[in-house]
Amino acid sequence: MKYYKFGDKTGRYIGRTEKYDIYTSTITGIGKDEDDHEERTQGEIYFNYGPSAGGLRESVNFRLLTPGESIRDVIINSGFKRRNVKITGDSISDAMLKVERINGFHSASHSIAYALAVEDALNVENGDLNDARIVEIELERIRSNIDVIKGLCESAGFAVPEKQLLLLREEVARIISSAFGHRYYFSVNGINSIDGDFSRISLSSIEKQFRSIYNGLLSSKIFLDRLQENGILLNPVSSGPAARAANFRYDARLDSESLIYGKYSTVMETSGDTFSRFLVRAEEIFESINIIESYDIKKSYRKHRMELNGTGEGTARIESPAGDLFYYVNINEGRLIDIQMCSPSYLNMRNFRYGLKSGNIFTDFFFVWESFGIWISELEVGFQ
Amino acid sequence: MGKLRHLDIGTGGGVSVNWFISGIRKRIKTEKLDQYQVMYPSILEGVSDYKCPTEALRNGNWDMDKCIFCRQCDLKPTGKQETYSVQHLVPDIFKKSLYLYPVDSGTCGACNVEFTSLFSPQYDSSRFKIFMANTPRHADALVVMGVHTDGMERVLQEAYDAMPEPKIVIGLGACALSGGIIGREAMEKYDIHIAGCPPTPASILNAIIEARDKR
Ligand code: SF4
Ligand code: SF4
């Protein structure tokens, strides 16, 4: 375990696994949660929304506490679709098929973080794959950020840019499929291996099309007005684009050694509102394109199944599109005896609530929700 | 309205884009359903004695509903996108319009994203008179995605019960159909089985069109 140790908390808080609290370089026992909800007062009602509703892509239930128009608090029940995945006892390679399906939309991030944790546990030299893995994750980030901005356009009733972004999302899926043989990176990443032809990645058309949509959105008074001063979150306990939109320079690309990034500039905003999160997501698309182009990988990699019989504990932390993603594995003779995962959706869900109760009204709900890019699939998964 | 930040950095220093014109300028992007093909998932051919992790390979037979297209066996992809089977034809009444209501029973998210791609310009399901319903009360077909989960069992049943007759149920993806690699199937019976992990948008549309329009 090169990058983490069990002990007292150090650095910033990353989030929670089933058994542990995670900081930037330490793993601790689970701390006390002091997350009290507002009391309902006379005349207030709970407005029930979900778990299954047309406006929700995944199953989740919200109970919005309201005196009428404003939202005073929200009780979130994300556990409806909780999946219990039988994975302990699996060989480290078999487990990969399940890990890459924890969050299918961020499967490159999950499968690479898991592979890095296994390689850390078994002391596998993996430096050769560092750059290619970064390219995969940055390409995934581009698609994910397009999707978040598409969600914001949908919330604003901006049908034309919404459809243009759906078109772009599909084009990125096709680039991923052409390079890696699968639209969601399934069966692409292995222990110390990748299957993909990086010469097929070309992003100039994506960049041009996105820039035109982005400029159009920035020139729209109505769009800006809907996003600004909405869902304000200035919480130092945050992660990913939501943290960077509030002027916290939190980024696993800067403070984790699991993957070593070269020169790259962090996108920061200061207001912490939905608009700032939109700007960070949009500008990071250009930054991810820069990163991918700076590596200029034109190689093909062939996957090989690696069954290692080693024993050990390992960790990895990477910057997935929504923030820090952490894996811990404990391996005995090539089989998993424990696996712990902390996804950015843990902190983002808490912070969505804080952002929503910061003086918003009903019509703001979808903007705030979409701007955090939360995936219930990675939040509600148990390992057995 | 307070002072709007950034309004001067877009095109033309604050002159709003006319999205209608912008949409028209981009021209029609809708494609024929066979214009874009992928290999995984597609129909697999050949023989393999590989020990399939989902038991999709048994006694020399390939069960596409169980296959997660993991590429580990010796079966070869054909690129044919007919990765579906129709158990019951769709009632004639849905020829004029068919409204789909998706329910996420326990997905990884990828099936959900592929489902929303049906409404992208490339696939534009509305040209086939296939639309999305925002409530099961307005739906003709329940689209079930993901594995069975305890929390969603009742929600799924309630959504089905709330739909008016006639109604059909579509199983979308290996998880819903067989449990895939993650768990067990979300429902026991479906009128249309759409295999894949996840199924492609084209195969979803092709399956529905075949069930509805072929007699
Ligand atoms: S591709 Fe994978 S899941 Fe499908 S039959 Fe082959 S081994 Fe089984
Ligand atoms: S079938 Fe595959 S893509 Fe669909 S939810 Fe299950 S694991 Fe995800």
Side-chain angles (χ1 to χ4, degrees), chain A residues 81 83 97-98 100-104 182 184 186, chain B residues 67-68 104 106-112 114 145-147 172-177 179-182 194-199:
Chain A
K81 65 170 282 192
R83 295 175 297 162
L97 291 173
K98 296 170 185 169
E100 60 194 10
R101 287 164 175 83
I102 289 170
N103 178 350
H182 193 276
Y184 293 86
F186 290 173
Chain B
C67 183
I68 55 164
D104 167 2
T107 67
C108 73
C111 275
N112 316 42
E114 291 301 56
M145 303 177 284
V147 290
L172 194 139
C175 284
L177 297 175
I181 189 89
I182 297 294
I194 310 176
C197 184

Side-chain angles (χ1 to χ4, degrees), chain A residues 139 142-143 146 167-175 202-213 285-286 289:
Chain A
L139 187 54
I142 292 168
R143 173 166 65 174
I146 288 172
L167 180 122
L168 219 51
R169 188 184 78 186
E170 174 65 18
E171 286 188 12
V172 180
R174 291 179 183 190
I175 292 170
S202 164
L203 297 166
S204 49
S205 160
I206 301 292
E207 181 173 13
K208 195 165 152 235
Q209 292 181 70
F210 180 71
R211 191 172 292 284
S212 146
I213 302 167
I285 291 177
F286 301 119
I289 293 173

Side-chain angles (χ1 to χ4, degrees), chain A residues 42 44 97 103 131 164 175 204 240 253 308 350 369:
Chain A
Q42 209 183 1
E44 288 186 328
L97 291 173
N103 178 350
D131 298 357
Q164 290 175 348
I175 292 170
S204 49
R253 290 172 287 186
L308 295 162
R350 275 185 16 176
W369 174 245

Side-chain angles (χ1 to χ4, degrees), chain A residues 52 57 59 80-81 101 104 163-164 167 169-170 174 180 182-184 186-187 219 225 228 273 377, chain B residues 1 5 16 22 31 70-71 101 104 107-108 112-114 116-117 119 122-123 134 149 151-152 197:
Chain A
S52 169
R57 182 154 58 183
S59 298
F80 282 88
K81 65 170 282 192
R101 287 164 175 83
K163 292 290 179 193
Q164 290 175 348
L167 180 122
R169 188 184 78 186
E170 174 65 18
R174 291 179 183 190
F180 300 101
H182 193 276
R183 291 157 62 87
Y184 293 86
F186 290 173
S187 297
S219 72
D225 186 43
Q228 291 188 0
D273 56 2
S377 57
Chain B
M1 189 193 294
R5 313 188 313 261
S16 249
S22 157
E31 301 171 351
C70 70
R71 310 188 223 172
Y101 183 75
D104 167 2
T107 67
C108 73
N112 316 42
V113 175
E114 291 301 56
T116 59
S117 295
F119 313 100
Q122 288 97 333
Y123 299 103
N134 274 322
T149 51
M152 285 303 291
C197 184

Side-chain angles (χ1 to χ4, degrees), chain B residues 37-46 75-83:
Chain B
Q37 279 192 336
V38 297
M39 300 313 262
Y40 294 96
S42 72
I43 299 285
L44 304 184
E45 275 180 2
L75 298 187
K76 293 275 170 287
T78 59
K80 292 181 194 150
Q81 305 290 290
E82 291 82 26
T83 44

